[in-house]
Amino acid sequence: MNISVLGCGRWGSFIAWYQAVYLKNKVINWGMEGQPSYEVLKNTGKNEYVELDSSIELSCDLQYALSQSQIIIIAISAQGLRGFMQQVKKYDLSNKKFVLCMKGVEESTGKRLSEVMIESGVDKNDIAVWVGPGHIQAFTAGIPNCMVIDSYNEELKKFLADSFKSNLIRFYYGNDIIGTELGAAAKNVLGIAAGVLDGSGYGSLKGPLMARGANEVGRLIQAMGGNFNSAYGLAHLGDYETTLFSEFSHNRRYGEMMAHGAKFEKLAEGVMTAKALKKLGEKYGVDLPITNAVYEACFESNAFSSGDGAKNCMQIILKLFERQTKSEF
């Protein structure tokens, strides 16, 4: 099978490695010329996560990468998807199937990423999402995990999950694309909250954070037409360990450093997702106290300029304890 992976950062380079090394597919890994992630791979053949297998073809020619494969995997920043698709759709996309390997909600519109693809001119039956737990550092060390593939197209979903499975990744068929996408995006917001707790010495509160966080996300999923129980699947609750506890989690690390008044410089998708989910909560009339607290900590607490980030962030989180008593379920 010919696979083109668009994006050669952390996740894109891993997917190219996985497709080539574990699945023995013919892989093109595309990156933008001049971007550090592409230049590092071009000049050294590796990055801090993977070493490109000799069978992987690295290219900065987008038209070529699109033309050589029917399966196109996209692994870029979630917030950059709409702009990127303006470049992609200039080329012939006939019979192409797109797999999104990002977790986020478009901040400016509140759209799920599959919706961004549809608005960019891709038929919804040609779109799938690949999400779920797992860190590259664990995968490349041979530590397996479970993930999920979901789609509007039942046949495409099953084909991809069956084709991509290995003894490193066990795939499940998703059955609620709204819940799968929202759950995958929202877990990054909870990761930031977990980092704030870690950075402030309140790590024991991560248990309640997980329980109430999944409940909160489930209510939003349900209000948007999905299944409440999707919040308890692999895309959301199943990804909590890698997002709320792991040393490799960018979102957890972002919150932890924010609590110390320091800025984490790598991509943490949960920041802009918190902004997007806050808007969705207001639009659909769903109370999202944890999401709103993370939004306030990220955008309104002056955590990075006050010199007292831990105090400011934790004051926001602890305001949740002042809420009116209610039934758990």
Side-chain angles (χ1 to χ4, degrees):
M1 187 187 303
N2 291 354
I3 302 286
S4 289
V5 181
L6 308 184
C8 59
R10 179 177 63 152
W11 193 236
S13 61
F14 163 73
I15 291 171
W17 175 88
Y18 173 72
Q19 291 284 340
V21 173
Y22 269 80
L23 303 182
K24 307 303 180 185
N25 288 323
K26 183 178 180 181
V27 178
I28 296 172
N29 193 187
W30 174 87
M32 186 177 295
E33 188 172 22
Q35 287 290 320
S37 58
Y38 173 78
E39 296 299 328
V40 166
L41 286 175
K42 184 179 75 171
N43 294 328
T44 68
K46 61 182 180 180
N47 56 25
E48 60 182 302
Y49 305 103
V50 298
E51 183 171 342
L52 284 188
D53 188 76
S54 59
S55 66
I56 297 172
E57 183 179 358
L58 188 67
S59 175
C60 61
D61 186 334
L62 183 57
Q63 183 176 14
Y64 174 73
L66 289 166
S67 68
Q68 296 302 302
S69 305
Q70 184 181 6
I71 305 297
I72 311 295
I73 299 175
I74 303 180
I76 64 170
S77 165
Q79 301 304 322
L81 179 61
R82 189 180 295 272
F84 180 61
M85 285 304 298
Q86 298 307 304
Q87 299 299 314
V88 170
K89 70 181 187 181
K90 293 177 181 178
Y91 305 108
D92 182 11
L93 303 182
S94 303
N95 301 316
K96 305 298 181 186
K97 309 299 181 185
F98 290 90
V99 185
L100 300 177
C101 291
M102 308 97 77
K103 301 168 182 177
V105 175
E106 189 175 51
E107 177 274 324
S108 60
T109 64
K111 299 287 187 179
R112 304 187 329 272
L113 300 185
S114 69
E115 293 178 303
V116 173
M117 293 290 288
I118 293 168
E119 291 182 358
S120 299
V122 179
D123 189 292
K124 72 175 185 178
N125 289 309
D126 293 332
I127 301 167
V129 297
W130 170 358
V131 297
H135 279 299
I136 296 164
Q137 294 89 336
F139 280 136
T140 54
I143 301 171
N145 217 319
C146 301
M147 304 187 83
V148 61
I149 290 181
D150 213 335
S151 176
Y152 300 93
N153 183 336
E154 193 78 12
E155 184 179 342
L156 177 62
K157 169 178 63 182
K158 291 184 175 180
F159 170 77
L160 291 171
D162 292 343
S163 300
F164 289 176
K165 68 182 180 181
S166 71
N167 60 4
L168 187 66
I169 302 178
R170 171 178 170 78
F171 282 101
Y172 285 83
Y173 306 132
N175 56 8
D176 174 23
I177 194 164
I178 294 174
T180 297
E181 287 191 273
L182 277 176
K187 62 94 185 177
N188 287 331
V189 178
L190 276 294
I192 294 175
V196 172
L197 295 176
D198 283 340
S200 306
Y202 286 78
S204 61
L205 281 177
K206 287 201 284 189
L209 173 67
M210 291 189 290
R212 299 312 303 166
N215 183 277
E216 175 175 311
V217 172
R219 287 187 282 108
L220 179 61
I221 289 172
Q222 187 174 47
M224 293 180 65
N227 186 333
F228 176 88
N229 289 327
S230 292
Y232 295 91
L234 285 171
H236 188 71
L237 183 64
D239 209 349
Y240 273 12
E241 189 280 329
T242 53
T243 307
L244 276 66
F245 291 89
S246 174
E247 63 180 303
F248 302 127
S249 170
H250 282 192
N251 292 283
R252 191 205 64 79
R253 185 63 176 149
Y254 185 96
E256 183 177 38
M257 291 184 65
M258 182 169 64
H260 294 299
K263 190 85 170 180
F264 181 65
E265 297 300 335
K266 294 183 178 180
L267 177 65
E269 293 277 19
V271 177
M272 298 310 293
T273 300
K275 196 172 185 180
L277 293 187
K278 182 177 184 295
K279 292 179 181 178
L280 287 175
E282 294 167 352
K283 177 180 178 179
Y284 288 93
V286 179
D287 187 23
L288 303 175
I290 298 172
T291 297
N292 293 339
V294 172
Y295 170 83
E296 187 177 347
C298 289
F299 293 100
E300 297 178 355
S301 70
N302 296 316
F304 304 120
S305 60
S306 67
D308 199 2
K311 181 178 178 181
N312 287 342
C313 289
M314 278 310 301
Q315 283 178 339
I316 293 167
I317 299 296
L318 290 176
K319 280 196 298 185
L320 296 172
F321 282 77
E322 299 172 6
R323 288 167 53 82
Q324 182 178 2
T325 305
K326 58 176 65 178
S327 297
E328 183 178 11
F329 299 105

